[in-house]
Amino acid sequence: KLIIVGTDAYRLAKRTLSVKSDISEDISLIIPQKTLHELERILQMDTEKELEMYINENQVLFLYEGVELLSKLITQNYPDYEQIIPTSFGTESVIETKEFLKAIKLSSIFSRSGLNDIHCSFRAETSPKGEVCISASNASIGENIAKLPIECKGADCDVILNYRYTLEGLQSFEDDRLFFGAGDAQSPCVVRPLQNKDILYLIMPIRE
């Protein structure tokens, strides 16, 4: 397997892929972001040929459709990201992906400039199965509130999220429904496609 992780102070994305490999032990490496952006551009040629990847102590080589991309590796220790990914949640919800995205985009218009905040209130006992209320308020523009029926279990929970960071993660999901796990207003939230556990997106709430 190839596990790809990217993180900053506010969010983390993780993707697990099945690959063909002849390595005999686990290997961990840090690839510069600039290299990965260039690799993404190369892969947009969108052919059926497989991407080849070769690694030595301080370099990585990518081969694709006759194009060679060689890059130095970052010689630092990567953060122990597994420690910050929650394994249990006080609130667990299943939400329609398109409806959730639509509600976030609408509320984002009313978020505060620079903060990009939207409020998500999860209620397990509202409506037949549960409800999430997505809202934003801006003194100079107004307020927007959107309510969606969801499948929700656990405690009620309120979190404030950066809508830009949230959309960037969710827009890559292809499943019709997603899982949203939350602890409290201060704890990391985990979002992933409901049927694909090989994709995980973690986002830190905005603290009031």
Side-chain angles (χ1 to χ4, degrees):
K1 292 183 177 180
L2 172 64
I3 300 173
I4 306 171
V5 178
T7 184
D8 57 22
Y10 309 103
R11 58 231 167 115
L12 177 147
K14 177 183 176 183
R15 179 71 184 263
T16 303
L17 302 172
S18 296
V19 296
K20 300 174 184 177
S21 175
D22 59 1
I23 63 172
S24 57
E25 59 184 15
D26 293 346
I27 297 175
S28 179
L29 60 151
I30 305 177
I31 302 173
Q33 184 183 61
K34 184 177 180 180
T35 301
L36 295 176
H37 283 317
E38 183 64 20
L39 179 62
E40 181 183 22
R41 187 186 65 81
I42 293 170
L43 293 176
Q44 287 175 354
M45 289 190 284
D46 195 25
T47 69
E48 297 297 322
K49 190 171 182 179
E50 294 180 336
L51 171 69
E52 298 178 34
M53 181 178 178
Y54 300 89
I55 306 163
N56 64 20
E57 186 176 347
N58 53 20
Q59 290 181 316
V60 60
L61 172 67
F62 297 98
L63 299 180
Y64 186 73
E65 278 296 296
V67 179
E68 298 184 5
L69 177 61
L70 180 66
S71 172
K72 290 184 177 180
L73 299 174
I74 296 174
T75 55
Q76 296 178 0
N77 292 324
Y78 201 74
D80 187 2
Y81 64 88
E82 293 287 0
Q83 287 190 350
I84 67 171
I85 300 177
T87 56
S88 61
F89 307 94
T91 307
E92 298 183 355
S93 303
V94 175
I95 311 172
E96 295 291 332
T97 305
K98 288 184 178 179
E99 295 303 314
F100 195 37
L101 283 169
K102 187 186 301 182
I104 293 173
K105 289 177 181 178
L106 185 58
S107 290
S108 71
I109 300 171
F110 298 85
S111 66
R112 289 174 287 180
S113 178
L115 194 57
N116 300 324
D117 59 323
I118 56 169
H119 295 237
C120 297
S121 300
F122 296 87
R123 299 291 181 262
E125 300 299 329
T126 306
S127 78
K129 295 183 179 180
E131 180 182 79
V132 60
C133 176
I134 301 105
S135 63
S137 178
N138 188 316
S140 61
I141 301 176
E143 181 182 26
N144 181 76
I145 300 174
K147 296 182 179 180
L148 301 177
I150 61 173
E151 297 176 23
C152 184
K153 63 180 181 179
D156 293 345
C157 182
D158 296 282
V159 293
I160 304 173
L161 301 176
N162 182 306
Y163 82 84
R164 291 186 184 275
Y165 295 160
T166 306
L167 287 177
E168 285 178 4
L170 270 58
Q171 286 174 337
S172 65
F173 293 1
E174 296 181 355
D175 284 20
D176 292 335
R177 299 198 296 167
L178 60 84
F179 168 85
F180 193 107
D184 54 42
Q186 312 297 324
S187 302
C189 300
V190 169
V191 195
R192 60 169 173 79
L194 186 62
Q195 300 300 326
N196 188 351
K197 295 185 179 181
D198 290 335
I199 299 175
L200 180 145
Y201 190 69
L202 179 148
I203 181 168
M204 291 298 300
I206 298 172
R207 297 184 180 181
E208 290 188 294

